[in-house]
Amino acid sequence: MVDPTDAPATAPRTPPATPLTLAIDIGGTGLKALVLDAEGNAITDRARVETPRPATPDAMLPLIWDLVAPLGDFDRVSIGFPGVVVDGVIMTAPNLHKKWRGFELARVAAERLERPTRVLNDAGIQGYGVIEGIGVELVLTLGTGMGCALYHDGRYVPNLELAHLPYGNGKSYEDYVDNHALDKIGKKRWNKRVRKVVERILPVWNPRRLYLGGGNAKHISFELPPNVSITSNVAGLLGGIALWR
Ligand code: BGC
């Protein structure tokens, strides 16, 4: 029998593999953050706070700094942003506020957090967390807005904004299946719409795989074509290390 007094009080912990990445997901509904180890495993809980309205940089940035402060140390920062991002600068933010236009988010965050920072479209990061890296893969995220990301052999093709393609009746794809639409028309009709969007997109982009993610993907109840799958929403943060490959 083992003498319990010989056993260590706690099992020795292996330190997480470095470098550590602080992954931040800026969303139209929530701001989320966690720290990932070098293999992309989360080493902290996911912190979350509601997105303030109006969602201006001045209102949001202090909340983001407060959100990440308790998460401990990290070596670099990846930020997913819900709009077009070029070289760390925000070009559009349809579900936030027009004051984001031209905002140098990568520079400002790097200065504030004192770590190198990269910023990418939110769907682009989400996709990095789920793709296989083979051939053409497409990701659609269904949340506050509709995100879209295209990859070829694992390389992201930036800022494909299918969300803002006209769908008909003066509406865009995003208007048709976003969170407002879901609230307004209910799950049954929303599912029909999502199915139509998938049916329109597949023969145009011909992806080897299409992934449906985002907070509302859990409401999908129709039978998916064989090359289409639903992914976890956590991927929005887990893709954060791919920006540093
Ligand atoms: C934006 C996209 C974003 C998506 C999901 C859309 O309105 O144009 O860039 O990925 O919302 O947040």
Side-chain angles (χ1 to χ4, degrees):
M1 231 177 83
V2 179
D3 179 353
T5 53
D6 288 338
T10 51
R13 271 212 225 154
T14 30
T18 54
L20 301 181
T21 306
L22 170 66
I24 302 174
D25 183 35
I26 298 183
T29 311
L31 311 172
K32 292 153 248 167
L34 51 68
V35 178
L36 303 168
D37 71 9
E39 271 103 51
N41 304 307
I43 60 158
T44 65
D45 285 337
R46 190 186 74 153
R48 185 185 187 280
V49 69
E50 293 288 305
T51 302
R53 292 287 157 180
T56 59
D58 281 353
M60 290 172 72
L61 291 172
L63 293 182
I64 295 172
W65 313 143
D66 286 353
L67 184 74
V68 304
L71 294 180
D73 205 8
F74 47 85
D75 303 298
R76 57 197 189 181
V77 184
S78 296
I79 305 181
F81 187 87
V84 174
V85 184
V86 178
D87 295 335
V89 180
I90 305 307
M91 298 293 153
T92 66
N95 295 307
L96 296 176
H97 198 282
K98 59 178 185 303
K99 283 200 173 151
W100 279 101
R101 192 178 292 248
F103 192 87
E104 294 179 53
L105 182 56
R107 184 184 60 75
V108 170
E111 276 172 22
R112 170 69 200 221
L113 300 170
E114 298 178 335
R115 296 287 181 275
T117 300
R118 293 187 180 168
V119 185
L120 206 76
N121 174 264
D122 54 355
I125 295 197
Q126 170 125 2
Y128 270 136
V130 300
I131 56 164
E132 292 167 348
I134 305 165
V136 175
E137 294 175 271
L138 193 63
V139 175
L140 286 188
T141 64
L142 301 161
T144 313
M146 183 187 114
C148 176
L150 179 68
Y151 304 81
H152 182 236
D153 287 345
R155 281 183 78 97
Y156 173 57
V157 182
N159 298 319
L160 172 66
E161 290 277 63
L162 284 187
H164 305 294
L165 195 65
Y167 192 92
N169 287 343
K171 290 204 188 292
S172 64
Y173 275 67
E174 177 162 271
D175 296 330
Y176 202 57
V177 294
D178 67 5
N179 203 41
H180 281 295
L182 175 60
D183 283 349
K184 205 169 141 198
I185 62 175
K187 284 187 200 156
K188 202 171 161 199
R189 285 181 60 203
W190 179 82
N191 261 278
K192 277 193 183 161
R193 289 185 177 190
V194 174
R195 196 174 63 199
K196 280 193 192 157
V197 164
V198 168
E199 283 168 2
R200 281 195 183 195
I201 281 174
L202 285 180
V204 177
W205 297 92
N206 294 293
R208 195 180 60 82
R209 294 214 58 87
L210 168 65
Y211 306 92
L212 303 174
N216 287 335
K218 59 176 178 282
H219 301 305
I220 292 176
S221 57
F222 61 92
E223 200 182 326
L224 299 171
N227 62 336
V228 182
S229 48
I230 295 175
T231 69
S232 139
N233 196 29
V234 187
L237 291 160
L238 301 188
I241 59 161
L243 269 59
W244 298 90
R245 272 183 214 141

